[in-house]
């Protein structure tokens, strides 16, 4: 969801790379309909590379499964990766400029300096 | 009451805006318009300038099947927002940024913004500290105008934006600007309180 394309000289700025120092896993109620609705709004390859970069792939396939709406076990794994894992401390890194955005207490700091916009 | 006012505690956050009449008017508006909100089946909701986080937390508590986000330029407000959401057993993802500048475009189905709207000197708008919670510069519109400029790229096609204004912001002028940008606009709530006449605009494509 986040990008650094608002920065001067950055065209796409997406996906941001994630470096996780601390992760937190929590339990969130599973709603298969909601997850099925969200999946088409995601860029699947981006989700996979994000999950890989924090070491939480949960065996998600490189390509989206056909008829995933009916595959509860698959939806549960997507649910876990999407909603139950938080990067508490770490950083997001712009793929083009290398600009780092720190994450502290789960809150990314994406405030840009005046000379960056 | 559909929307419960969340519990909050700002003792640790002296520089965060305390929920006031404007915050409660927005909560009342969202509650009154809840049928329409449910109808568009929102996936992603965001509050810009969430301060204490009471508004986005109330939405997160009521609309279970959504992802709720919050932004604020004040890092302390971001922590206050997360704290309020946890206190009420909800999940709100706060992000320290200006407006929605670092989100992908056109993803949000609901945007709520109670902007700094008080008429002040321009300098106060870009200063540091608490003044940024309310200082709106000339006509109280300097932050609002910046926001309006970016609005075409923020909402999904079914999106709705709720924006709080006061009389000094000249709501009719803002409505005309929005018409010029091909948005639909209604004044969905107004309230006169001592010293302020508050309005809420509902803006959609
Ligand atoms: C009037 S307060 C509203 C706080 C809270 N939403 C409420 O209703 O109680 C305005 C908030 O917007 C934040 N703010 C001001 N300018 C902003 C900007 N450009 N982007 C994001 N947040 C901003 C301030 O830090 C403050 O928390």
């Amino acid at each position: 969801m986040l990008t650094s394309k608002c920065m001067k000289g950055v065209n796409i700025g997406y996906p941001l790379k994630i470096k996780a120092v601390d992760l937190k896993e929590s339990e969130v109620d599973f709603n298969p309909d909601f997850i099925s609705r969200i999946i088409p709004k995601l860029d699947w390859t981006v989700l996979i590379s994000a999950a890989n970069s924090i070491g939480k792939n949960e065996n998600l396939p490189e390509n989206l499964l056909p008829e995933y709406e009916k595959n509860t076990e698959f939806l549960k794994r997507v649910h876990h990766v999407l909603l139950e894992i938080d990067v508490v401390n770490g950083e997001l890194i712009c793929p083009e400029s290398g600009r780092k955005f720190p994450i502290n207490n789960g809150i990314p700091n994406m405030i840009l300096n005046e000379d960056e916009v | 009451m559909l929307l419960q006012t969340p519990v909050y505690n700002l003792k640790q956050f002296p520089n965060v805006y305390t929920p006031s009449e404007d915050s409660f008017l927005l909560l009342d508006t969202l509650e009154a318009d809840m049928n329409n909100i449910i109808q568009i089946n929102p996936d992603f909701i965001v509050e810009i300038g969430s301060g204490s986080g009471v508004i986005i937390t109330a939405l997160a508590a009521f609309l279970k099947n959504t992802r709720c986000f919050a932004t604020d330029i004040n890092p302390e407000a971001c922590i206050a927002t997360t704290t309020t959401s946890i206190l009420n057993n909800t999940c709100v993802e706060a992000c320290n940024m200006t407006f929605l500048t670092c989100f992908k475009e056109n993803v949000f189905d609901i945007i709520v913004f109670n902007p700094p709207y008080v008429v002040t000197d321009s300098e106060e708008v870009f200063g540091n500290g608490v003044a940024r919670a309310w200082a709106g510069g000339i006509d109280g519109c300097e932050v609002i105008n910046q926001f309006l400029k970016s609005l075409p790229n923020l909402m999904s096609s079914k999106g709705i934006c709720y924006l709080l204004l006061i009389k000094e912001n000249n709501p009719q002028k803002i409505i005309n600007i929005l018409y010029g940008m091909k948005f639909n606009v209604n004044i969905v709530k107004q309230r006169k309180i001592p010293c302020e006449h508050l309005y809420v605009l509902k803006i959609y494509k």
Side-chain angles (χ1 to χ4, degrees), chain B residues 21-22 117 191-198:
Chain B
E21 291 287 349
D22 46 0
Y117 54 68
R191 187 172 290 165
K192 277 190 191 156
I193 55 166
C195 307
E196 271 180 359
H197 187 166
L198 303 164

Side-chain angles (χ1 to χ4, degrees), chain B residues 17 23 47 49-51 55 72-74 97-99 114-116 132-133:
Chain B
Y17 189 82
S23 327
E47 179 177 11
S50 57
I55 298 176
D72 206 295
I73 41 158
N74 174 358
M97 73 167 81
T98 318
F99 302 116
N114 177 6
R132 291 195 76 160

